Amino acid sequence: GQQLNQSPQSMFIQEGEDVSMNCTSSSIFNTWLWYKQDPGEGPVLLIALYKAGELTSNGRLTAQFGITRKDSFLNISASIPSDVGIYFCAGSISGGGNKLTFGTGTQLKVEL
Amino acid sequence: GAVVSQHPSWVICKSGTSVKIECRSLDFQATTMFWYRQFPKQSLMLMATSNEGSKATYEQGVEKDKFLINHASLTLSTLTVTSAHPEDSSFYICSASVLRDLDGYTFGSGTRLTVV
């Protein structure tokens, strides 16, 4: 099935650094979601975006819905050890009740 | 917030047997439930979408006779892996959604299936 392309595939950063990752698609989505997955667990929703150009924050996390509707960005400021995990973007054509297409994932490792 | 319970969290079965995985929405009624499969170090791949009282819609390449989905109520969906083989070993995750609720994609904690 279709997948969204995420970059980078993995990141190894120092505690306290800011992190940026992005997600691109060949087709348009009307809802973009960012999830974090810890080992052996299901994904947990971090941020949801509903409008092109929208910029939304959740604590140290900020995400943007690209103007073209074909991309999205996630920034994490002042990373801490518990930020370690895999981050997935996901797109939906029209939200609740409609299937999500997931990105390839960005694995984040934080060095103390 | 919305909670989705998935059971069992892990299961080991013999090749050729069937395994049932349950997905329950605990504090809301889910109009739609989704089943995903995730192989190690890979992303989530949608297997099927099920609406309460209807037949599931399977993604291309997913065998509907092998992965039986039942969505008999607004709070329960089950996935049965029939005649399991080692290549079916994977992490299976369900998600429950509420129609028109843009935040309504809550995931279960997943089931690790190992077929020996």
Side-chain angles (χ1 to χ4, degrees):
Chain A
Q2 181 190 8
Q3 276 192 329
L4 306 177
N5 292 315
Q6 273 183 255
S7 65
Q9 186 176 6
S10 66
M11 306 179 70
F12 197 7
I13 62 170
Q14 299 274 349
E15 183 179 7
E17 284 185 356
D18 296 344
V19 173
S20 291
M21 59 190 78
N22 66 46
C23 184
T24 59
S25 169
S26 57
S27 55
I28 288 173
F29 289 101
N30 293 316
T31 299
W32 284 89
L33 305 169
W34 283 93
Y35 288 89
K36 179 174 182 273
Q37 185 180 30
D38 291 326
E41 298 288 332
V44 174
L45 182 66
L46 300 174
I47 292 181
L49 302 158
Y50 308 120
K51 258 171 55 170
E54 179 182 359
L55 187 72
T56 297
S57 293
N58 178 9
R60 292 178 298 107
L61 278 61
T62 301
Q64 184 160 27
F65 190 146
I67 290 291
T68 65
R69 297 187 182 183
K70 292 184 178 182
D71 58 8
S72 180
F73 305 86
L74 176 69
N75 295 313
I76 305 173
S77 62
S79 58
I80 60 177
S82 60
D83 291 334
V84 166
I86 302 178
Y87 292 79
F88 289 104
C89 62
S92 171
I93 297 298
S94 57
N98 291 280
K99 64 182 183 181
L100 291 179
T101 300
F102 273 82
T104 47
T106 294
Q107 180 161 29
L108 180 63
K109 298 176 184 178
V110 180
E111 186 177 61
L112 297 177
Chain B
V3 178
V4 173
S5 172
Q6 194 171 335
H7 179 80
S9 56
W10 60 270
V11 58
I12 301 173
C13 72
K14 290 186 177 179
S15 188
T17 62
S18 296
V19 173
K20 182 185 283 189
I21 302 169
E22 291 188 350
C23 180
R24 294 180 184 272
S25 56
L26 296 186
D27 50 1
F28 67 102
Q29 294 185 322
T31 48
T32 307
M33 288 191 176
F34 305 88
W35 287 95
Y36 295 83
R37 181 166 51 183
Q38 185 178 32
F39 292 107
K41 298 189 186 301
Q42 293 189 22
S43 185
L44 285 76
M45 296 299 293
L46 181 66
M47 299 174 66
T49 302
S50 73
N51 293 298
E52 185 260 343
S54 304
K55 287 186 179 179
T57 301
Y58 290 81
E59 294 299 300
Q60 192 172 9
V62 178
E63 301 174 57
K64 62 180 181 181
D65 293 331
K66 181 170 185 62
F67 298 99
L68 301 179
I69 292 173
N70 185 291
H71 192 165
S73 78
L74 285 171
T75 60
L76 174 64
S77 176
T78 60
L79 167 68
T80 301
V81 183
T82 62
S83 187
H85 287 89
E87 57 265 31
D88 298 324
S89 299
S90 187
F91 193 52
Y92 292 86
I93 310 173
C94 70
S95 170
S97 173
V98 178
L99 191 65
R100 293 184 293 279
D101 179 355
L102 295 179
D103 278 344
Y105 292 102
T106 304
F107 284 81
S109 54
T111 297
R112 171 74 59 195
L113 170 63
T114 303
V115 185
V116 297

